[in-house]
Amino acid sequence: MKKIGKVVVASALSLGLLTGVGGFHAPSAEAASNGTSKCEYAKIYHYVKSGDTLSGIAAKHGVSVNTIMKNNNISNPDKIYVGQKLFIKYSNVQICDS
């Protein structure tokens, strides 16, 4: 892992966390507490597009459909909508203060 400024990065490009690089578009990342002082793991989100299915989204991100359903309180896997922001999982990238 590399420490760049205040961010610890573990191959962020391969995780799809950096956007706007050469037209590359990937899921967004937001900070979420991991219980340790001054560092937080980034969250990976997916914004539903036309034609997306939970099984396709799960396969793309390497998680199960049940994981996505549980993380987003979805009771019916056929009821997702375009523009919906789905929390997929925590990444192994940490965002650290100081």
Side-chain angles (χ1 to χ4, degrees):
M1 286 204 276
K2 295 180 186 177
K3 187 168 185 176
I4 302 174
K6 294 184 178 183
V7 178
V8 177
V9 178
S11 188
L13 279 175
S14 67
L15 290 170
L17 296 176
L18 301 179
T19 60
V21 179
F24 180 74
H25 180 72
S28 65
E30 291 183 9
S33 178
N34 69 357
T36 64
S37 62
K38 298 187 180 183
C39 288
E40 299 174 331
Y41 284 99
K43 279 185 169 181
I44 297 175
Y45 289 94
H46 179 90
Y47 289 88
V48 178
K49 297 182 268 322
S50 180
D52 278 351
T53 62
L54 279 186
S55 60
I57 295 166
K60 177 180 178 179
H61 294 285
V63 298
S64 71
V65 170
N66 286 337
T67 296
I68 295 174
M69 290 177 66
K70 181 179 175 185
N71 288 346
N72 296 280
N73 298 314
I74 297 172
S75 58
N76 183 344
D78 298 322
K79 300 249 179 176
I80 60 172
Y81 55 90
V82 173
Q84 184 175 4
K85 179 181 177 182
L86 298 175
F87 166 57
I88 304 300
K89 62 183 177 181
Y90 289 100
S91 76
N92 64 349
V93 173
Q94 289 187 339
I95 301 170
C96 299
D97 293 333
S98 327

